[in-house]
Amino acid sequence: MAAAGPTRSRIGALCRQLLLTLSILSFACDACKQVILHVPSKLDAEKFVGRVNLEECFKSANIIHSSDPDFQILEDGSVYTTNAVLLSSETRSFTILLFNTDSQEEKEISVLLEKETQVQKRRHSKEKVLRRAKRRWAPIPCSMMENSLGPFPLFLQQVQSDVAQNYTIYYSIKGPGVDQEPLNLFYVERDTGNLYCTQRVDREQYESFELTAFATTPDGYTPEYPLPLIIKVEDENDNAPIFTETTYTFMILESCKVGSIVGQVSATDKDEPDTMHTRLRYSILEQLPSSPTLFSMHPTTGVITTLSSQLDRELIDKYQLKIKVQDMDGQYFGLHTTATCIINIGDVNDNLPTFTRTSYEASVEENTIDVEILRVTVEDKDLINTPNWRANYTILKGNENGNFKIATDPRTNEGVLCVVKPLNYEETQKVTLQIGVVNEAPYSRETSSRSAMSTATVTVNVKNQDEGPECNPPVQTVRIKENAPAGTRSSGYKAYDSDTKSSTGIRYRKISDPKGWVTINEDSGIITVFRSLDREAEAIPSGVYNVTVLASDQNGRTCTGTLGIILEDVNDNGPYIPKQTVVICKPTMSSAEIVAVDPDEPINGPPFDFSFRSSDSEVRKMWRLMKINDTAASLSYQNDPPFGSYVVPIQVTDRLGFSAVTSLNVVICNCITENDCTFRTSGRTGNGEVKLGTWAILAILLGIALLFCILFTLVCGTSVINKQPKELPDDLAQQNLIVSNTEAPGDDKVYSTNGFTTQAVGASGQGICGTVGSGVKNGGQETIEMVKGHQTLDSCRGVGHHHTLDSCRGGHVEVDNCRYTYSEWHSFTQPRLGDKVHQCNQDDSHKHAQDYVLTYNYEGKGSSAGSVGCCSERQDEDGLEFLDHLEPKFRTLAEACIKR
């Protein structure tokens, strides 16, 4: 065939070395088929072996791999050798692996290589002869007209191979129109190669058909490659152009320039592009209203433009065009279609608003505000409810005092004239206003500012009104010296009748007098000092005391004014030092700065003179003053005083000789900054005094409360039915703290004695100092005894009986200095005291009484004052000396714990 070339020669040379026989066997599992290839016993490197149809097994494989490194497989299934291969046996096999990385799916193809037989070699020889023959495989370019009238089947062309000159060749075709949609549209005669069409074809549906022609021998051999055969369908002008819209709508502003673009229309044609069948022409067939002609259309682009600048919306606001599009470049025999185009004329502000009248008249009563007095109307031909129509009114003249305001009513477009500031008939009886109006949108035509605004005149007549008193000015002032004696009179507030300008008949009274310092005369408004005036009072800002006054006439009409009493300053305050505690850090500074202030005005204030009182000779020896400026001085120590706190009286005198003494508390401290001395313990001052911080004092108070709780618990727990007190030996009473409480005759209530039964504490046999003895029920009185000694309590307890310690004193009791351990005391007393406290502080309803003893929590470690626990636990022999420094109210507790 004529389509064969160098490529066919190379493949033919390869085919002379092998014969390919393909058979596909079905396998289970992942091995989808087996391929058998017949090859020579010797294969050179990079030689074509055969082709395997991979898509029949796995269409979506993206990785192809051979299990034998001597063979490689291409994407089209071609098998090539990578090295020279010599088949030593009759067969050789390998596997082709197909894998998809997206779906992780894998398939296998088994390839079996077999040596050629003699029959296969003879067939190869025949093929060599066929391939040596000169052949022609050249199809004639083929086309057909769409919508052809036949007759059918319609001959198109003949396909022929020159191999047919010597051998029998069968022809066949495949592709769209044969075995694909549309089916059976084309066929070819097997023996002659004549190609026919069976029915008419529409180019707009099928532009061309790409067929494939085949030439084969009767025994199935294919001497030629498949021949691509393209059948083109020639276009016929069978489709008229169609506008993209049946009705176009555009908008163009009135008074626009000539050549302004209105819009663009477009059409489509299904016929073949770039031919006369699709070359379109646009035109305007008709305009409504028809006269004058205002629009034109570009024939090839479909752009509509204006021909005149006289478009006036106020005359005609819409035009309608009938337009046409025609193919064949607008020739008379071309197909055409029409459509409608509506052009709306947009409004511009080409008409000024004008007042319906040139002058208006209105009236208003004096002293009235926020009242509408007049409405004015305008005419405007522009589009209603647009910025070109809406009016903006303004007052051009006559409103210099701001008494009037004009606004636009959004519903009616009227101008509403209002009074916003009261008018006074006595001052003005008539007001003449000039008002103007423009649109919200600027005027589109070029004019001067005066001609672009319509104006009108408004005359406003002011009506007289019977007015009340007038408080003018609203704030009046008088001057009075502070500390003026009671009864001092001064001119007060004055109001006037607005008509007569007289104060006759006007009465006054106070509305506000914060400190009640003055009284006001009801008839004249004169004020009288009632109490001494103090300029330096807190409620007197800037030395002005304000009194609110109400003035009223005989008809009850009122006005309100403010009388500001300016208090003239008197030098009645001496200068003083606000900061009365001064800290001098001795290591870093030798002096401190003190600043004085004077509440009086500056004329009665600085410069100040700082000095010590003349009688304080000791102070003068230790301290020295040095003036820094008019209001400050430097205080420094002399003769190296010890750390501590000192009281230094300093006298400060103002410029007029008025003085005051301020006692400064000067602290000389061993510190770096003042905060170090303020917030650390007092030991840093070195004066030997003991100063406790807030938390230390709180801890001591909590400890005292805890001790009182224990005593209160013992008192409550010793109450028994027997009220007779138990007699104690004289010598024992001097060593024991006896707590007793006699209750009123009670009922037969039995108290549990478990909480007070004596027990042995610890294994050492050491006695407990102040241990609570057993509870004895005797005549309604219960006695609690605290005994100190070395005899163990367990030896004094009988089975089923309770004994007091004195009944067990037959043996020698050795008295010591009350040594005991806190843990023993706590373990013995805590469960018993808790139970007694709980019982003592319940009322009849078993709820906590109001005087219930609260439990104090642990306050933590690190307090600079220490803990009150040190009072209860002393492990050293002589650790109770701190009790000698307690205050008198703690003496009783101290005597209870130590022997004097």
Side-chain angles (χ1 to χ4, degrees):
M1 297 182 190
T7 303
R8 293 292 305 269
S9 300
R10 178 175 56 84
I11 297 178
L14 180 62
C15 291
R16 287 192 295 270
Q17 300 180 14
L18 57 90
L19 179 64
L20 175 63
T21 302
L22 178 63
S23 65
I24 302 174
L25 302 176
S26 299
F27 276 78
C29 301
D30 292 332
C32 56
K33 66 179 182 179
Q34 185 181 31
V35 178
I36 300 176
L37 300 177
H38 297 275
V39 297
S41 59
K42 183 179 179 181
L43 297 174
D44 296 331
E46 298 182 357
K47 295 299 181 180
F48 178 76
V49 177
R51 182 175 285 107
V52 179
N53 191 346
L54 302 179
E55 293 186 356
E56 291 184 359
C57 179
F58 198 6
K59 293 184 178 181
S60 59
N62 50 22
I63 295 178
I64 304 173
H65 179 67
S66 172
S67 62
D68 192 334
D70 291 336
F71 299 92
Q72 63 174 351
I73 294 87
L74 304 183
E75 293 182 356
D76 60 351
S78 300
V79 182
Y80 286 86
T81 59
T82 57
N83 303 306
V85 177
L86 179 63
L87 297 181
S88 58
S89 59
E90 294 297 326
T91 61
R92 181 171 177 174
S93 64
F94 61 92
T95 302
I96 300 175
L97 300 178
L98 305 176
F99 184 73
N100 186 293
T101 56
D102 295 332
S103 63
Q104 299 296 317
E105 188 176 358
E106 182 179 351
K107 297 290 185 178
E108 293 182 358
I109 300 177
S110 179
V111 179
L112 180 63
L113 301 179
E114 294 183 352
K115 290 183 180 181
E116 290 180 330
T117 62
Q118 293 297 325
V119 175
Q120 293 168 340
K121 290 181 179 180
R122 287 194 298 270
R123 186 173 180 177
H124 275 196
S125 301
K126 181 179 179 181
E127 290 177 355
K128 293 177 182 179
V129 174
L130 291 175
R131 292 189 181 278
R132 290 192 186 100
K134 184 178 180 181
R135 55 200 178 278
R136 180 178 65 83
W137 182 238
I140 301 173
C142 179
S143 64
M144 60 177 294
M145 289 295 298
E146 70 168 327
N147 302 321
S148 175
L149 299 179
F152 296 101
L154 179 65
F155 173 79
L156 298 180
Q157 74 167 8
Q158 182 184 23
V159 292
Q160 187 176 11
S161 173
D162 57 357
V163 178
Q165 297 176 3
N166 301 317
Y167 300 92
T168 301
I169 298 298
Y170 294 156
Y171 301 96
S172 63
I173 57 174
K174 290 183 178 181
V178 182
D179 56 349
Q180 301 177 21
E181 291 292 337
L183 298 174
N184 302 322
L185 181 61
F186 302 100
Y187 73 90
V188 65
E189 291 182 347
R190 187 187 70 170
D191 298 326
T192 64
N194 293 333
L195 180 63
Y196 293 92
C197 177
T198 61
Q199 59 185 358
R200 60 188 295 179
V201 179
D202 186 2
R203 192 207 68 83
E204 284 71 42
Q205 187 176 5
Y206 303 104
E207 294 183 1
S208 63
F209 296 91
E210 296 182 0
L211 305 179
T212 303
F214 300 92
T216 59
T217 59
D219 58 357
Y221 175 70
T222 303
E224 304 284 359
Y225 280 123
L227 176 67
L229 183 63
I230 299 177
I231 302 176
K232 186 177 184 302
V233 181
E234 298 292 341
D235 183 47
E236 180 185 18
N237 191 21
D238 58 342
N239 292 279
I242 300 175
F243 280 104
T244 55
E245 299 179 23
T246 56
T247 302
Y248 292 90
T249 302
F250 301 113
M251 192 275 292
I252 186 70
L253 295 177
E254 62 177 329
S255 303
C256 63
K257 296 180 180 180
V258 176
S260 298
I261 296 178
V262 178
Q264 183 178 14
V265 299
S266 61
T268 59
D269 196 324
K270 295 181 180 179
D271 290 326
E272 186 175 359
D274 301 326
T275 63
M276 290 292 292
H277 300 162
T278 55
R279 186 172 297 178
L280 307 181
R281 287 277 178 173
Y282 300 92
S283 60
I284 298 176
L285 298 180
E286 183 181 8
Q287 172 188 305
L288 294 176
S290 58
S291 180
T293 302
L294 301 175
F295 306 98
S296 66
M297 176 178 286
H298 194 281
T300 58
T301 62
V303 175
I304 303 175
T305 56
T306 59
L307 296 175
S308 172
S309 61
Q310 302 301 317
L311 292 174
D312 191 350
R313 189 204 64 84
E314 286 73 35
L315 296 178
I316 301 175
D317 61 352
K318 180 173 31 178
Y319 292 88
Q320 181 173 320
L321 304 179
K322 183 178 181 182
I323 56 177
K324 181 185 75 170
V325 60
Q326 189 170 16
D327 59 14
M328 301 299 294
D329 201 17
Q331 300 184 47
Y332 69 93
F333 51 84
L335 303 178
H336 69 273
T337 305
T338 61
T340 301
C341 178
I342 297 176
I343 301 175
N344 296 314
I345 308 302
D347 184 47
V348 297
N349 189 20
D350 56 347
N351 293 279
L352 292 173
T354 57
F355 286 103
T356 57
R357 295 169 54 185
T358 58
S359 63
Y360 299 87
E361 188 172 351
S363 61
V364 62
E365 290 187 353
E366 64 173 335
N367 301 323
T368 58
I369 60 172
D370 296 331
V371 59
E372 176 185 325
I373 62 173
L374 180 67
R375 281 180 174 257
V376 296
T377 57
V378 294
E379 292 180 350
D380 197 323
K381 296 180 181 180
D382 290 321
L383 187 61
I384 297 177
N385 294 325
T386 64
N388 302 326
W389 174 82
R390 285 191 288 267
N392 278 344
Y393 299 88
T394 182
I395 301 176
L396 302 176
K397 295 180 181 179
N399 193 33
E400 288 76 11
N401 295 328
N403 298 99
F404 302 94
K405 181 185 73 172
I406 190 168
T408 305
D409 188 332
R411 295 185 299 105
T412 63
N413 208 32
E414 294 176 323
V416 182
L417 184 64
C418 301
V419 176
V420 295
K421 184 179 179 181
L423 295 166
N424 191 342
Y425 176 81
E426 286 71 29
E427 296 178 355
T428 306
Q429 291 78 36
K430 181 185 294 186
V431 180
T432 301
L433 303 176
Q434 185 183 25
I435 58 176
V437 62
V438 295
N439 292 122
E440 289 184 1
Y443 190 55
S444 61
R445 297 180 181 178
E446 296 181 359
T447 58
S448 63
S449 60
R450 179 170 299 180
S451 62
M453 178 181 292
S454 175
T455 60
T457 301
V458 178
T459 302
V460 180
N461 297 313
V462 182
K463 295 181 179 179
N464 189 21
Q465 189 181 52
D466 188 9
E467 300 169 312
E470 180 180 356
C471 294
N472 189 24
V475 179
Q476 302 175 18
T477 60
V478 295
R479 304 182 74 90
I480 303 176
K481 288 185 178 294
E482 68 169 329
N483 300 332
T488 302
R489 303 182 65 186
S490 177
S491 59
Y493 195 88
K494 289 294 182 182
Y496 303 91
D497 187 285
S498 58
D499 295 328
T500 63
K501 301 300 181 180
S502 172
S503 300
T504 305
I506 297 179
R507 305 176 70 85
Y508 306 88
R509 68 181 177 88
K510 294 187 303 179
I511 295 179
S512 173
D513 182 7
K515 291 187 174 295
W517 282 349
V518 297
T519 60
I520 187 168
N521 187 279
E522 185 177 9
D523 297 324
S524 63
I526 296 174
I527 61 172
T528 303
V529 176
F530 182 69
R531 293 187 180 90
S532 178
L533 307 179
D534 186 5
R535 177 187 169 279
E536 289 74 33
E538 294 181 359
I540 311 300
S542 303
V544 179
Y545 182 68
N546 292 322
V547 178
T548 306
V549 179
L550 178 69
S552 60
D553 62 7
Q554 295 177 355
N555 296 326
R557 291 184 290 268
T558 63
C559 69
T560 302
T562 300
L563 178 63
I565 302 174
I566 302 175
L567 300 177
E568 297 180 351
D569 186 41
V570 176
N571 191 15
D572 58 346
N573 293 279
Y576 68 97
I577 302 173
K579 184 178 180 182
Q580 298 184 4
T581 299
V582 177
V583 177
I584 299 177
C585 292
K586 196 171 182 180
T588 59
M589 55 192 295
S590 61
S591 63
E593 181 180 338
I594 55 177
V595 180
V597 295
D598 193 331
D600 293 327
E601 288 188 353
I603 193 173
N604 297 322
F608 299 139
D609 181 33
F610 297 85
S611 63
F612 298 114
R613 290 198 307 185
S614 59
S615 59
D616 298 335
S617 58
E618 294 296 332
V619 173
R620 294 178 181 274
K621 293 179 181 180
M622 183 177 294
W623 304 98
R624 181 177 60 187
L625 278 172
M626 181 178 296
K627 188 173 181 179
I628 300 176
N629 52 36
D630 290 346
T631 59
S634 174
L635 177 64
S636 59
Y637 59 82
Q638 303 179 116
N639 301 325
D640 193 17
F643 296 120
S645 179
Y646 302 89
V647 177
V648 182
I650 298 178
Q651 179 175 290
V652 186
T653 306
D654 60 20
R655 65 165 63 188
L656 300 180
F658 197 84
S659 64
V661 177
T662 302
S663 295
L664 293 183
N665 181 26
V666 183
V667 179
I668 299 180
C669 185
N670 184 15
C671 58
I672 302 301
T673 63
E674 291 186 15
N675 291 336
D676 294 340
C677 189
T678 302
F679 296 105
R680 293 185 182 179
T681 60
S682 60
R684 183 171 288 277
T685 60
N687 60 354
E689 296 181 2
V690 177
K691 293 185 179 180
L692 298 178
T694 303
W695 289 105
I697 294 174
L698 180 60
I700 292 176
L701 292 178
L702 291 177
I704 295 171
L706 181 60
L707 293 177
F708 277 112
C709 289
I710 295 174
L711 293 178
F712 181 72
T713 303
L714 297 177
V715 172
C716 293
T718 56
S719 299
V720 294
I721 299 176
N722 188 1
K723 295 183 180 180
Q724 296 298 328
K726 183 173 178 62
E727 296 181 358
L728 297 174
D730 295 337
D731 57 347
L732 182 61
Q734 296 179 1
Q735 303 181 37
N736 297 276
L737 174 63
I738 301 174
V739 182
S740 62
N741 185 18
T742 302
E743 303 288 346
D747 53 3
D748 296 331
K749 185 183 292 183
V750 179
Y751 293 89
S752 173
T753 59
N754 293 335
F756 292 87
T757 304
T758 58
Q759 300 181 19
V761 182
S764 63
Q766 181 180 355
I768 300 174
C769 177
T771 305
V772 180
S774 61
V776 179
K777 186 176 181 182
N778 185 10
Q781 181 178 9
E782 186 175 7
T783 301
I784 301 175
E785 301 175 359
M786 301 177 66
V787 182
K788 54 184 178 178
H790 288 286
Q791 183 177 353
T792 61
L793 300 180
D794 193 40
S795 62
C796 301
R797 183 179 59 182
V799 179
H801 296 82
H802 302 283
H803 303 276
T804 58
L805 289 180
D806 63 305
S807 62
C808 301
R809 283 180 60 87
H812 171 70
V813 178
E814 183 180 355
V815 180
D816 61 5
N817 290 327
C818 188
R819 291 198 308 153
Y820 61 93
T821 63
Y822 176 78
S823 60
E824 292 173 340
W825 166 266
H826 185 274
S827 62
F828 182 80
T829 60
Q830 186 65 22
R832 294 157 179 78
L833 293 180
D835 182 69
K836 290 302 179 181
V837 171
H838 182 71
Q839 294 179 3
C840 289
N841 292 277
Q842 286 185 353
D843 54 18
D844 296 334
S845 60
H846 300 286
K847 296 181 179 178
H848 291 304
Q850 295 181 355
D851 57 345
Y852 175 61
V853 180
L854 301 177
T855 301
Y856 290 89
N857 292 328
Y858 177 62
E859 294 293 335
K861 296 181 179 182
S863 174
S864 59
S867 173
V868 296
C870 63
C871 299
S872 301
E873 183 177 0
R874 289 289 179 175
Q875 301 297 335
D876 55 319
E877 189 69 23
D878 298 325
L880 302 178
E881 291 80 7
F882 71 95
L883 296 175
D884 295 333
H885 303 287
L886 298 177
E887 294 180 3
K889 57 185 178 181
F890 295 105
R891 299 296 184 186
T892 303
L893 290 176
E895 292 173 358
C897 294
I898 64 174
K899 178 180 178 182
R900 289 292 182 183

